[in-house]
Amino acid sequence: MKTFLKIVGIAVLLAILASGVTFYLHPLAVNDSILRYKLWHAGVQSHYVEANGYELHYLEALPPSGSPEHTVVLIHGLGSRGEDWAPLIPGLAAAGFHIYAPDLLGYGRSPRPDVPYTMDLEEKTVVSFLDALHLAKPDVGGWSMGGWVALKLAVEHPDRVHRLMLYDSAGLYFPPTFDTDLFAPTNRAGLARLMSAISPHPRLMPGFVQDDALRKLQRNSWIVNRSMAAMVSGKELMDFRLHLIQQPTLIVWGSHDDLIPLSAGERMHKGIDRSTLVVMEGCGHLAPAECWKPVEETTLDFLKADPPLAPGQKTIPNADQHN
């Protein structure tokens, strides 16, 4: 019996050591596994569908009743993926909405073909995604680069967008305060600059986590660089097309967004007739993640409003303290 217990103890110790080594070598992969388990436990499913000639990955969450008030499609940003909407998906679904969060072409678990990653390509991919899943006219939300894609979709396919939601959205010209290589750092100092640009309170990461993050960023850098090249070319900017947007529009912005300034959100609000601008005080570019609770509440107020919210502007004070 003692020998058996000793063998079991050694096996448990080895398993713990193996887990520790795995986490040390691949902390982001372990974190992804934990996140996916939490999403699965919350009823969020992972699927693939053929869209624009590719097998796109997407997340889906149904409301508890099974009879959704409406469908919501959430489009992620540069270097991101559908799972970055994880803080909002369960709550929106629980409130009665059918949620879809695709990985754009080149990102997340979707294919990474050797193509120019323009906003036009990503918009066509989203249209094909809507067609493949027979989503006639959902509410559409876009975050950062995903907001640019959502803006194009609302202008070029107005019959496919019921209501529009923009979170710290790209798509308008503004004088950049950063170099384009910000998004593909090669060392810890560059990673620190990136984290400071997207968050007013960047999280401290142990060195081995920083190194794993750098490896991941470098693996994806060629796609990010092509997306950035398409954006900075200016060919697809939406500055002079905002007046074409007729859908009720929610614009959410972090007051401390050092990547895309609040002034861009204010210009979007001014250019879109039926828009509401909500400023999250104390939040940065990652407002839907770092300030998810007030962002979720604001989003639900907008989605549930019948008739739609009257155009206006307001600030949520100390939004970053609601988490």
Side-chain angles (χ1 to χ4, degrees), residues 12-32:
V12 170
L13 179 60
L14 290 173
I16 292 172
L17 288 173
S19 299
V21 171
T22 299
F23 178 68
Y24 181 79
L25 294 176
H26 307 286
L28 297 186
V30 173
N31 185 69
D32 283 349

Side-chain angles (χ1 to χ4, degrees), residues 5-286:
L5 292 176
K6 185 177 181 179
I7 293 173
V8 171
I10 292 173
V12 170
L13 179 60
L14 290 173
I16 292 172
L17 288 173
S19 299
V21 171
T22 299
F23 178 68
Y24 181 79
L25 294 176
H26 307 286
L28 297 186
V30 173
N31 185 69
D32 283 349
S33 296
I34 295 171
L35 173 61
R36 289 167 187 172
Y37 172 77
K38 289 181 178 178
L39 286 170
W40 172 81
H41 192 262
V44 182
Q45 302 176 352
S46 173
H47 300 294
Y48 287 85
V49 66
E50 184 174 343
N52 202 21
Y54 300 99
E55 288 292 316
L56 287 190
H57 175 260
Y58 68 97
L59 300 177
E60 179 182 13
L62 282 163
S65 66
S67 300
E69 291 193 27
H70 214 273
T71 298
V72 177
V73 175
L74 300 173
I75 307 172
H76 66 76
L78 179 72
S80 185
R81 57 193 179 161
E83 285 157 333
D84 284 7
W85 292 101
L88 298 183
I89 292 174
L92 296 180
F97 293 90
H98 191 168
I99 308 300
Y100 292 89
D103 291 342
L104 292 174
L105 193 63
Y107 295 96
R109 285 180 270 178
S110 288
R112 296 147 48 97
D114 185 6
V115 296
Y117 285 91
T118 63
M119 300 306 100
D120 185 61
L121 173 65
E122 298 293 13
E123 179 206 7
K124 289 178 178 177
T125 301
V126 172
V127 172
S128 183
F129 175 79
L130 299 181
D131 291 340
L133 293 174
H134 308 290
L135 305 180
K137 197 172 183 179
D139 300 310
V140 177
W143 180 359
S144 192
M145 183 188 78
W148 195 335
V149 176
L151 281 166
K152 282 177 63 64
L153 184 67
V155 168
E156 296 172 5
H157 300 274
D159 58 324
R160 305 305 301 270
V161 179
H162 179 240
R163 295 186 185 187
L164 179 64
M165 298 167 291
L166 305 169
Y167 303 86
D168 294 88
S169 176
L172 301 189
Y173 173 78
F174 62 91
T177 58
F178 53 85
D179 294 326
T180 55
D181 62 359
L182 174 72
F183 303 98
T186 58
N187 52 46
R188 292 183 182 182
L191 180 62
R193 285 193 294 273
L194 174 60
M195 298 304 296
S196 295
I198 62 178
S199 173
H201 308 293
R203 296 179 180 179
L204 295 176
M205 294 186 291
F208 71 95
V209 177
Q210 294 182 51
D211 293 340
D212 197 31
L214 286 167
R215 288 191 291 269
K216 182 177 181 179
L217 287 166
Q218 280 300 300
R219 284 195 301 271
N220 299 330
S221 63
W222 67 277
I223 295 173
V224 169
N225 289 338
R226 290 188 185 185
S227 296
M228 279 299 301
M231 288 189 281
V232 300
S233 72
K235 294 178 181 179
E236 300 177 277
L237 287 171
M238 303 297 295
D239 296 67
F240 301 108
R241 305 179 74 187
L242 294 178
H243 67 282
L244 299 174
I245 297 176
Q246 300 302 312
Q247 297 90 341
T249 301
L250 173 67
I251 303 170
V252 176
W253 224 274
S255 65
H256 288 58
D257 189 339
D258 291 332
L259 192 64
I260 305 179
L262 175 58
S263 59
E266 293 170 339
R267 284 193 288 126
M268 284 185 186
H269 175 47
K270 184 177 180 180
I272 301 174
D273 287 340
R274 303 177 67 188
S275 67
T276 298
L277 173 62
V278 180
V279 179
M280 297 289 163
E281 184 64 41
C283 304
H285 191 67
L286 303 181

